[in-house]
Amino acid sequence: MTATRVLVLNSGSSSVKYQLLDMRDSSRLAVGLVERIGEETSRLKHTPLTGGGAESREREEPIADHEAALRAVADELAADGLGLDSPELAAIGHRVVHGGLKFTEPTVIDDAVLKEIERLVPVAPLHNPANITGIRTAQALRPDLPQVAVFDTAFHTTMPESAARYAIDVATADEHRVRRYGFHGTSHAYVSRKTARLLGKAPEDVNVIVLHLGNGASASAVRGGRCVDTSMGLTPLEGLVMGTRSGDMDPAVIFHLARVGKMSIDEIDILLNKKSGLIGLCGDNDMREIRRRIDAGDEEAALAFEIYIHRLKKYIGAYYAALGRVDAVVFTAGVGENAAPVREAAVAGLEELGLAVDGALNSVRSDEARLISPEYARVAVAVVPTDEELEIADQTYALVGDRNA
Ligand code: ADP
């Protein structure tokens, strides 16, 4: 029997998201999520997608750690005849947030690779430890199976030094590995490639600005399929205004808050990562709620929206200049795919740059990749739904398929 299934695991600090895909046709066999791992009541939501209906099953029970979580997931999959012991399972693909400079490609995990991911914990203290736990647990469950790491940073390793280096003392930067790494790379890679296809061109022939606007948000400039700049930096804090992160600001704000505001470094870290961005500006981080409030005349929400859009526009302009020629500006992720007012406002007034949005096309709701710019516009504006799990599964299967060939 040929093994054609790939299990994709995205392990966070207290959650595991998973999808089982059949790579013959890239179809989903099951999807699910375990939340609140280690808390009093954890929750597992499992949705088998085989055999017509998509009836979800939910369990609320204490799930102590990632190993227990993965065992619970394995049980749910087994109940649908999709168990991890199946000979049809070809590999497990893991999302790994930080791959530093070393991992430029998806990589089959062995001890040396795990050690290197561990070595990167100081630059990704919130993410890499959870990813490592996920990998270890999956290895314990299926030691014989290839496990592949797909890195959020990999797509950005093509950035030139001029974009990746911060203008600080080189020796200090190098000693502490301080530079722009960028994140959401799997999404930026997938979406920029799909945009080229939407334009009927090869990725090598198009320059694209990708705006990944989810709860976390980042922009990237992609020239001929290779990333040349991205807005997130050493950590995901830099760049756009996000749901709960500030994005760009004068780094001296931190000294000021420490010296004058007497805040500790940990307090400032929490302030900028969890209590800033849209939630800091208006108390809500969900764009749907913010739009509702604006429609009801709420000025605080309106100002938060304006600040969000102003930053977005600055990045479109900056990456336009960095690329010189732009074929498409593309919106993706929760906000980018769904919030027509964000797309309209981000492009408004940029006609001189060849950018425009067609109101009717922009208001269409669809899961498909689509153009929303009018025929006459020199630069295409597109909405391309991202699919990080499919991209991880594809990259995993491509690697393991080669190995088995
Ligand atoms: P994450 O970064 O957590 O993966 P997503 O890409 O799923 O996030 O985006 C989640 C965000 O998308 C929500 O916080 C919300 O602001 C936004 N969003 C989702 N659906 C809509 C919608 N219909 N209209 C406007 N915004 C939406």
Side-chain angles (χ1 to χ4, degrees):
M1 185 181 293
T2 339
T4 57
R5 291 178 189 162
V6 173
L7 178 68
V8 176
L9 287 181
N10 181 354
S11 308
S13 56
S14 66
S15 70
V16 176
K17 290 186 201 144
Y18 62 94
Q19 294 199 359
L20 182 68
L21 292 96
D22 187 335
M23 301 318 292
R24 281 176 300 191
D25 57 0
S26 303
S27 62
R28 260 106 177 144
L29 302 172
V31 302
L33 164 73
V34 189
E35 288 174 299
R36 304 197 294 265
I37 296 170
E39 291 181 29
E40 233 162 76
T41 51
S42 317
R43 179 168 159 265
L44 190 158
K45 184 174 179 189
H46 174 84
T47 311
L49 299 169
T50 48
E55 281 285 306
S56 295
R57 300 195 292 272
E58 284 196 36
R59 282 158 59 175
E60 293 225 359
E61 62 194 35
I63 296 179
D65 51 27
H66 279 72
E67 184 171 343
L70 211 52
R71 286 192 192 280
V73 170
D75 288 347
E76 291 295 338
L77 288 167
D80 300 319
L82 301 168
L84 293 192
D85 53 355
S86 163
E88 288 177 74
L89 189 60
I92 300 181
H94 296 267
R95 174 188 183 215
V96 178
V97 169
H98 216 307
L101 290 182
K102 195 152 186 177
F103 296 114
T104 59
E105 302 280 346
T107 306
V108 176
I109 301 166
D110 58 18
D111 287 347
V113 170
L114 249 183
K115 254 205 197 100
E116 185 60 27
I117 298 171
E118 253 164 13
R119 219 173 64 83
L120 289 161
V121 166
V123 282
L126 297 179
H127 295 105
N128 276 27
N131 301 154
I132 292 165
T133 309
I135 292 168
R136 287 235 164 84
T137 311
Q139 283 178 330
L141 282 177
R142 277 296 305 268
D144 57 314
L145 205 63
Q147 314 257 343
V148 174
V150 178
F151 300 93
D152 258 30
T153 45
F155 183 62
H156 303 304
T157 55
T158 53
M159 274 188 293
E161 288 292 281
S162 54
R165 278 212 177 258
Y166 294 118
I168 65 171
D169 173 67
V170 171
T172 308
D174 287 350
E175 185 186 349
H176 299 290
R177 289 180 285 176
V178 172
R179 59 188 283 119
R180 175 181 310 289
Y181 293 99
F183 299 89
H184 290 145
T186 309
S187 176
H188 286 284
Y190 175 84
V191 168
S192 55
R193 237 183 23 246
K194 271 216 129 181
T195 304
R197 213 174 300 149
L198 185 68
L199 300 178
K201 296 192 173 156
E204 303 77 63
D205 297 332
V206 295
N207 293 351
V208 185
I209 297 173
V210 181
L211 304 169
H212 176 112
L213 311 177
N215 202 17
S218 63
S220 68
V222 183
R223 174 181 291 131
R226 291 163 69 85
C227 178
V228 295
D229 204 353
T230 194
S231 61
M232 283 178 165
L234 172 76
T235 77
L237 183 56
E238 195 180 349
L240 299 173
V241 176
M242 313 185 205
T244 66
R245 296 190 193 114
S246 64
D248 297 337
M249 47 164 223
D250 182 349
V253 168
I254 296 164
F255 318 145
H256 179 77
L257 291 176
R259 290 186 188 127
V260 180
K262 304 282 177 236
M263 291 174 74
S264 70
I265 290 295
D266 286 342
E267 283 169 343
I268 300 171
D269 191 335
I270 291 169
L271 175 83
L272 299 180
N273 274 294
K274 304 247 180 289
K275 299 182 181 173
S276 297
L278 291 170
I279 209 160
L281 288 167
C282 74
D284 273 306
N285 63 336
D286 191 312
M287 193 52 80
R288 285 164 289 202
E289 186 53 30
I290 291 170
R291 290 303 312 173
R292 263 194 291 275
R293 285 174 56 186
I294 294 171
D295 290 342
D298 186 322
E299 285 178 15
E300 199 182 43
L303 179 58
F305 186 80
E306 276 172 35
I307 294 169
Y308 183 94
I309 296 296
H310 179 68
R311 186 81 52 85
L312 204 49
K313 248 188 198 159
K314 288 213 294 200
Y315 270 93
I316 295 174
Y319 288 172
Y320 206 120
L323 288 168
R325 190 203 82 220
V326 176
D327 298 290
V329 172
V330 53
F331 291 87
T332 193
V335 175
E337 290 166 31
N338 295 298
V342 167
R343 298 190 297 254
E344 185 188 334
V347 170
L350 302 184
E351 293 79 8
E352 287 290 323
L353 297 179
L355 284 161
V357 158
D358 178 291
L361 292 175
N362 190 33
S363 61
V364 173
R365 299 197 63 85
S366 160
D367 294 336
E368 300 291 318
R370 59 201 185 273
L371 292 176
I372 56 167
S373 42
E375 291 265 336
Y376 65 79
R378 264 188 296 124
V379 179
V381 181
V383 181
V384 175
T386 191
D387 195 337
E388 288 162 284
E389 290 78 15
L390 176 61
E391 179 72 10
I392 292 171
D394 268 339
Q395 294 196 5
T396 298
Y397 195 61
L399 197 60
V400 172
D402 282 345
R403 271 179 124 214
N404 292 345

